[in-house]
Amino acid sequence: MQHVIIGAGPAGVIAAETLRKNDASCSIKLIGDETEPPYSRMALPYYLINNIDEDGTYLRKAASHYADMNIEVIQDRVESVDTGAHTVTLSGGAAVNFDKLLIATGSHPIRPPIPGLDLPGVHSCWTLEDGRNIADKADTGADVVLMGAGFIGSIILEALAERGVNLTVIEMEDRMVPRMMDQTAGNLIKQWCISKGVNVLTSTRVESIEQDKAGRLTVKLDNGEQLGADVVISATGVRANTRFLEGSGIEADFGVLVNDRLQSSHPDVYAAGDVCQGKDFSTEEFSVQAIQPTAADHGRIAAMNMCGRDTRHQGSVNMNVLDTMGLVSTSYGLWMGVDGGESVELVDEERYRYISLQFQDDVLVGAQALGLTNHVGVLRGLIQTKLKLGKWKDHLLQDPTRIMEAYLGATQSIGHNAALL
């Protein structure tokens, strides 16, 4: 059996290892289009603050890891997929045959149509090469403008702040991390950052970027303000890497469309990670969840099915955990609530504390927490198990901090009822 995996991120690497553990004799080719060994993009902020060297970003530390597992790593770009011939074509024209193919090509940064975004001093923070370029210019005291305060932007924000730069963050939405936190929490994160010396401008857009002869950048905003910068970083979102699939017959929307076994419209082709439009646990709809835990889960499940071990994907829980300069925020499931559901929130703005719970009947379906790290794992567990809270929902509506008490009470009630049967 010849297995080919396109994409050498967490989904691809975990898939390759899972295939080898379940089939000692199959052929496994792992194709990545960067010159470095497979690495984690989520480790780049730690690289920027010198907590790790470049090799600290590598997904597997031993240089011989892939060779020891008889996994062939190919550093090249895939230009096209021919599902009829069961081949992928590399940039040099070589064809690689497959029996089963996994698409784990991840995503790429969105480049909004802003004049000057292609100037030399403007970078994404997506690859190790981006990390090198940013580290070269974002020294202590440097003026840095960060475009985007979403999940990725906020992770980069913390690393830049630790480097001691003069940082301004521009976010076009009305709050920070708008796809993770509501108005209250997003603006509390904003105020926290401002209190730590970071200039945060929300409801603001970059109109253009210019560069003078000395290499100094000028960022022009839609409010008329102009910001001088030594480096500009764009973190305005990502999009799945699917363009190379044009003409392949593999169906794609926001990502590669799959079933509950992560199998695409072609029976021998699977998808995993940021490029996969997989099942959402809470909604049972299919969407792209560009987070590393989902990528790891996808990689394992896709590989199990590729090697004939029927494994269903139950759906990924929408989960985000963010540490912004020491302020931890989390959101799980349907944190924005559901039609006809009930909700409760508790806020202490002075202490940067916030919790919001969302219910459908007596089941917790979504949650947000800011500055509260106790029992956040229990929140995820309540959502993922769809535990019926019974009377404990009313207790939580009165005091949403009684999470552990409600969990223990509801589970003990289930055990008691089972004993009566």
Side-chain angles (χ1 to χ4, degrees):
M1 181 71 73
Q2 298 183 84
H3 294 292
V4 172
I5 299 168
I6 311 174
V13 168
I14 289 171
E17 293 168 342
T18 302
L19 287 168
R20 177 57 68 223
K21 290 173 184 176
N22 286 277
D23 188 341
S25 61
C26 68
S27 166
I28 304 173
K29 292 180 171 64
L30 179 66
I31 305 173
D33 64 357
E34 295 186 54
T35 58
E36 294 85 7
Y39 67 91
S40 170
R41 303 192 194 285
M42 297 303 295
L44 290 178
Y46 301 100
Y47 167 71
L48 285 177
I49 59 176
N50 299 316
N51 274 3
I52 57 174
D53 296 325
E54 284 193 14
D55 59 4
T57 68
Y58 298 165
L59 287 167
R60 302 295 179 259
K61 306 310 178 190
S64 63
H65 174 77
Y66 302 99
D68 291 343
M69 295 195 73
N70 196 19
I71 297 170
E72 181 182 353
V73 178
I74 299 173
Q75 293 177 323
D76 206 338
R77 178 178 294 275
V78 172
E79 296 293 339
S80 63
V81 174
D82 186 332
T83 51
H86 277 63
T87 61
V88 300
T89 301
L90 305 180
S91 61
V96 179
N97 298 321
F98 67 85
D99 293 309
K100 300 291 184 182
L101 174 68
L102 176 64
I103 300 166
T105 47
S107 52
H108 62 274
I110 295 173
R111 304 281 288 181
I114 297 173
L117 205 63
D118 57 348
L119 289 169
V122 183
H123 304 282
S124 299
C125 189
W126 197 244
T127 66
L128 262 175
E129 183 62 25
D130 291 331
R132 296 182 193 111
N133 290 326
I134 293 169
D136 184 54
K137 292 189 175 182
D139 293 323
T140 302
D143 295 320
V144 178
V145 173
L146 172 62
M147 296 168 47
F151 184 77
I152 295 172
S154 295
I155 292 173
I156 299 168
L157 178 159
E158 181 171 33
L160 292 170
E162 287 202 31
R163 289 184 70 88
V165 304
N166 299 318
L167 179 60
T168 298
V169 180
I170 311 297
E171 170 56 48
M172 66 180 184
E173 299 293 341
D174 61 1
R175 63 189 186 276
M176 292 184 67
V177 283
R179 292 178 180 168
M180 171 183 165
M181 306 302 283
D182 64 16
Q183 189 81 32
T184 300
N187 280 317
L188 280 173
I189 296 172
K190 173 183 174 179
Q191 293 305 317
W192 173 267
C193 292
I194 291 172
S195 74
K196 299 294 182 180
V198 176
N199 184 27
V200 181
L201 303 176
T202 52
S203 300
T204 305
R205 293 176 180 267
V206 173
E207 288 196 333
S208 66
I209 304 171
E210 298 176 356
Q211 189 172 44
D212 62 23
K213 293 180 179 179
R216 178 77 170 174
L217 298 166
T218 300
V219 180
K220 297 184 177 181
L221 308 180
D222 63 354
N223 61 8
E225 188 176 355
Q226 296 188 14
L227 303 172
D230 298 298
V231 61
V232 174
I233 300 169
S234 177
T236 52
V238 297
R239 184 173 292 130
N241 289 321
T242 59
R243 183 173 296 179
F244 72 101
L245 295 174
E246 292 177 2
S248 68
I250 298 169
E251 294 181 7
D253 182 23
F254 294 103
V256 175
L257 295 168
V258 297
N259 60 20
D260 60 1
R261 290 171 175 80
L262 301 182
Q263 186 179 43
S264 77
S265 56
H266 191 285
D268 294 328
V269 180
Y270 297 77
D274 294 11
V275 75
C276 175
Q277 194 163 330
K279 187 177 181 180
D280 183 295
F281 174 84
S282 298
T283 65
E284 297 191 352
E285 297 176 353
F286 286 74
S287 61
V288 174
Q289 288 192 14
I291 57 176
Q292 189 156 312
T294 294
D297 194 34
H298 280 179
R300 180 186 62 82
I301 292 172
M304 294 295 287
N305 286 301
M306 289 169 71
C307 64
R309 297 181 179 272
D310 187 51
T311 307
R312 288 181 179 269
H313 179 229
Q314 301 300 319
S316 299
V317 175
N318 185 15
M319 175 184 67
N320 291 286
V321 180
L322 182 66
D323 186 340
T324 309
M325 304 175 71
L327 181 62
V328 176
S329 53
T330 58
S331 66
Y332 296 119
L334 300 173
W335 58 265
M336 69 297 293
V338 294
D339 291 339
E342 293 183 85
S343 65
V344 61
E345 65 176 37
L346 185 66
V347 60
D348 182 345
E349 294 187 2
E350 291 185 359
R351 298 175 61 221
Y352 295 96
R353 300 288 187 269
Y354 178 67
I355 187 169
S356 167
L357 304 180
Q358 304 291 335
F359 300 93
Q360 186 170 42
D361 298 324
D362 65 343
V363 175
L364 183 70
V365 295
Q368 299 172 84
L370 183 70
L372 299 167
T373 56
N374 290 337
H375 313 316
V376 292
V378 176
L379 287 175
R380 179 188 177 187
L382 287 171
I383 293 168
Q384 198 159 14
T385 59
K386 297 184 179 180
L387 179 68
K388 289 185 176 297
L389 293 165
K391 67 179 182 180
W392 288 100
K393 184 194 80 169
D394 295 326
H395 291 296
L396 288 173
L397 288 173
Q398 293 296 318
D399 182 357
T401 65
R402 297 173 66 182
I403 302 161
M404 180 59 76
E405 186 180 351
Y407 168 73
L408 293 173
T411 52
Q412 287 171 1
S413 175
I414 291 175
H416 175 71
N417 291 337
L420 293 177
L421 296 175

